[in-house]
Amino acid sequence: MPTVGCVVVEHESVLPATIPAVWARITDPGGINDELAPVLSMRMPRAVRGQSIDEVPVGVRLGRAPLLLFGVLPVEFDDLTVAAVEPGRRFHEKSSMVLLRRWEHERELQPLPSGGTRVHDRLTFELRAPLSRVPIVVAVAHRVIAGLFAHRHRRLARYFHRPPA
């Protein structure tokens, strides 16, 4: 069970696709929403709507990105900042949310000798007080976020295992 304070969740997948194909998918708002579907969707802040992670300003607060339950009901807001981008290799988001004082999502791509791509996610989060001081709440948040990223990786794997159209 995670302890009170910062919690780290990591998840990794191997995809049968090239880094350029995976990068294009994981940095595109449509691809991000496909990973979250059908439970959640994320509407990008107005200032960067329609842009990929490659195109947004780095190190600048981009605005609030609502997370929508079933694409309709706002359940959280990500005060979004992309801290670093190395195109084709990694991105690092540092944000805060209504329930999370700290939210960091680092996603890294590594080429494989087979021509595939390893996708590694590292999430670091800290609940806001007083929730951060309640171990069972921290444990539930850990399970929910770990489950969400396992789901995201399953959705990515499903997308890249589809036969070509």
Side-chain angles (χ1 to χ4, degrees), residues 7-36:
V7 179
V8 175
V9 173
E10 296 192 63
H11 201 84
E12 189 171 279
S13 294
V14 172
L15 302 175
T18 65
I19 281 186
V22 174
W23 183 258
R25 184 69 179 170
I26 67 168
T27 58
D28 177 74
I32 294 165
N33 278 318
D34 186 63
E35 286 181 41
L36 293 167

Side-chain angles (χ1 to χ4, degrees), residues 9 100 103 123 125 127 140-151:
V9 173
L100 301 174
W103 172 261
L123 299 309
F125 69 91
L127 288 160
V140 168
H142 177 267
R143 288 188 67 112
V144 167
I145 291 169
L148 175 63
F149 274 80
H151 169 79

Side-chain angles (χ1 to χ4, degrees), residues 15-159:
L15 302 175
T18 65
I19 281 186
V22 174
W23 183 258
R25 184 69 179 170
I26 67 168
T27 58
D28 177 74
I32 294 165
N33 278 318
D34 186 63
E35 286 181 41
L36 293 167
V39 177
L40 288 175
S41 67
M42 181 175 172
R43 189 174 305 135
M44 299 307 276
R46 186 168 294 135
V48 295
R49 209 161 280 160
Q51 295 179 17
S52 75
I53 290 173
D54 282 337
E55 300 167 313
V56 302
V58 174
V60 176
R61 181 183 173 272
L62 302 175
R64 287 170 45 117
L67 294 169
L68 307 169
L69 185 63
F70 303 117
V72 179
L73 180 67
V75 292
E76 182 60 283
F77 293 89
D78 187 349
D79 199 5
L80 189 61
T81 299
V82 176
V85 176
E86 295 175 43
R89 186 178 173 292
R90 69 180 282 271
F91 66 80
H92 184 181
E93 171 202 349
K94 287 185 175 183
S95 303
S96 65
M97 298 187 193
V98 174
L99 294 174
L100 301 174
R101 186 178 80 72
R102 176 180 176 197
W103 172 261
E104 292 191 41
H105 176 199
E106 299 173 79
R107 183 170 269 186
E108 184 174 346
L109 304 183
Q110 297 173 329
L112 299 173
S114 64
T117 300
R118 181 182 321 280
V119 179
H120 182 260
D121 280 316
R122 179 182 174 94
L123 299 309
T124 305
F125 69 91
E126 183 178 358
L127 288 160
R128 291 191 185 275
L131 297 175
S132 63
R133 294 189 287 269
V134 183
I136 191 69
V137 174
V138 175
V140 168
H142 177 267
R143 288 188 67 112
V144 167
I145 291 169
L148 175 63
F149 274 80
H151 169 79
R152 289 184 71 165
H153 278 253
R154 283 191 301 273
R155 297 279 301 181
L156 267 175
R158 185 178 308 142
Y159 178 82

